[in-house]
Amino acid sequence: MKQLWSLVAVGVIAMSASVVAQEGAKPAAKPGEKQVQPAQDGKKDAKKDKVEVKVGEKAPEFSLKDTDGKEHALSSLSGKIVVLEWFNPDCPFVQKQHEKTTTMADLVKKYGDKVTFLAINSNAPGSMGSGKDRNAKAKTDWKLDYPILLDESGEVGKAYQSKNTPTMYVIDAKGNLAYWGAIDDDSSADKAGKTNYVGKALDELLAGKPVSQSKTKPYGCNVKYKN
Amino acid sequence: MNQSRRSTTRRAERLAALAWLAAGGILGGCAAHATAARAPAAAPVSTPQPGQTHARVEVLLPRAVVPGSTMDVGVKFTIEKDWHLYWNGQNDSGTPIVLELKMPAGFKAHDTLWPAPERLVEPGEILNHVYEREVILIVPVDVANDAKVGTAEIAVEARWLACKSACVPESGGAKASVSVSAVPFDQAALYVHAEVAKARAALPIGLAKEDPRVKTTIAGRQVTILIAGARDVTFMPGPECTQVKNLAERGTTQGERLVVDLEEGPKPIRISGIVRVTNSEGNRAYYHIDTHAGARPEGGQDRPASGR
């Protein structure tokens, strides 16, 4: 079993090698710590190739299938502004944007004709809010008119260093990351914020201005990665 | 709402109910003991929770207070097995516990004192500082100088996010009473709640300036925390601390020296939070650090936090 884990770990490291920034040596052991993930001993060797995702730089490429099986590649959307919403239909902080408030619906209504919206679910199979059926149901229940892409390996989520649902990313028409962070400034699970950071970033981008607040701290559930 | 969530919740509710039955037995014992003691204040009472929650709140008060004194209000959370609530420092996800106190006029609450949390790293290098099983948050409260002699009631409304594999925003309330007596009793034990006193004694130690036990130095955007002879060092950045980079991987180390990098951002830099240490004898200790750089001279100063 142990061997299997390290194989899986090495595989994941190889996959995510190009995306996650690592600096310095990893301590041999973490004292007194609850470590849910298996040990990743191979990590040290892979770290040289890792790239940190940064606002102002190229957004990581991806190609994922949605709940209808249709493939969506970021490269095919070049020339368009893209909004990514890290998604989990069973996370109360995602439910807030779709059920308790009209935050997401308002954004889509206001910007939907000029901006492409994509939800991405990186939760591992079997974890909370994962799977095609559950997400297809959320799409229907919440009347989403944008696709929910399934990233069950977590590769794309890790490439974007997305740790929360929701985490929001705005990618400009040139394919560069223009905003990374929270949807708004209220981290509760039931109230919409006063400032919607995504709306603000889109207003500025559409007006040809630089995004004034390009990084905020996301809030929500953690993404339920496989390992 | 969806099926899978419902069934998970239902299973969790059954577990919670069992846990509460067990906890109730212990509490019952405590209450009986309290009644046998002399002073008149009532045992803490939990108000019914809306539905079933994964944590239960109690208010723990001393049995008596004197007008013009300061008492510790203990807010105890009993957390269902495998679930956790969140500390108020830097976390990758979740939201910290929020407390609201309702007290008689003239009573004044100070900042909440948060016990040292546990470090929880989950897949995807997601780091959170959390409480499991049980935690007592302490709110020091100034009793009004003109507090009416008799009984004072302190009510607490709390909100928290409970997480396991799922996360559930929850809330609950509890209240308790304390005797206000102008004539001091001669038993010191009446003025503290034993469990709260124990929790206070376990709070991270506030350090005086230039304390030799923990040496924090800031050079550019790199911070070194040195505890001579320590077996391991862990840094848990508090809510005011400048954002630390890659904390899941770099926030803890073997040996006496921990080096962490800070996220790019404006000065001044503030390094505040809890340092957890295992000393050479294998014992754990927790210290509060608070050091500035940028606006203040390099190296800044440590100030005592949360000590009385």
Side-chain angles (χ1 to χ4, degrees), chain A:
Chain A
M1 191 58 189
K2 207 170 183 182
Q3 213 165 11
L4 180 65
W5 272 123
S6 33
L7 278 175
V8 172
V10 168
V12 169
I13 291 148
M15 280 194 290
S16 59
S18 60
V19 292
V20 184
Q22 300 294 334
E23 290 164 299
K26 185 178 164 151
K30 309 216 170 190
E33 176 170 309
K34 206 165 166 179
Q35 186 93 33
V36 177
Q37 65 199 107
Q40 300 191 350
D41 296 334
K43 210 165 199 176
K44 230 180 205 171
D45 309 315
K47 74 185 173 195
K48 290 268 186 285
D49 306 316
K50 294 180 181 180
V51 177
E52 197 168 359
V53 59
K54 268 192 183 147
V55 171
E57 293 181 5
K58 202 85 187 152
E61 177 55 29
F62 61 80
S63 186
L64 291 170
K65 282 189 176 140
D66 67 17
T67 49
D68 296 325
K70 191 182 163 216
E71 191 97 16
H72 298 261
L74 183 63
S75 56
S76 71
L77 296 167
S78 70
K80 284 180 183 159
I81 296 172
V82 179
V83 172
L84 306 181
E85 174 198 14
W86 245 267
F87 194 79
N88 168 358
D90 291 336
C91 167
F93 298 90
V94 174
Q95 291 169 346
K96 170 176 110 167
Q97 321 302 342
H98 294 276
E99 253 177 28
K100 296 200 177 80
T101 72
T102 54
T103 304
M104 273 313 294
D106 291 346
L107 281 175
V108 175
K109 196 172 159 194
K110 189 167 174 193
Y111 303 101
D113 56 337
K114 303 174 209 90
V115 172
T116 304
F117 285 81
L118 298 172
I120 300 182
N121 187 330
S122 296
N123 286 10
S127 72
M128 172 202 194
S130 66
K132 196 164 134 178
D133 295 348
R134 174 65 194 106
N135 287 277
K137 186 177 185 307
K139 189 173 176 333
T140 311
D141 289 349
W142 293 343
K143 301 184 176 65
L144 297 195
D145 57 4
Y146 56 98
I148 303 170
L149 315 187
L150 301 176
D151 171 39
E152 294 194 326
S153 73
E155 201 180 336
V156 176
K158 286 176 181 172
Y160 278 83
Q161 289 167 32
S162 175
K163 295 184 174 181
N164 294 83
T165 55
T167 306
M168 305 300 295
Y169 298 85
V170 179
I171 299 165
D172 69 17
K174 289 179 187 146
N176 294 327
L177 195 59
Y179 174 77
W180 173 8
I183 191 165
D184 62 17
D185 60 352
D186 189 321
S187 62
S188 74
D190 51 5
K191 289 184 292 292
K194 286 194 181 74
T195 302
N196 187 297
Y197 297 126
V198 176
K200 207 172 133 201
L202 291 174
D203 282 338
E204 289 168 342
L205 278 182
L206 291 166
K209 291 181 199 161
V211 174
S212 53
Q213 202 164 5
S214 58
K215 199 171 176 191
T216 62
K217 190 178 177 344
Y219 64 86
C221 307
N222 52 2
V223 177
K224 316 294 178 190
Y225 286 112
K226 191 152 74 181
N227 46 37

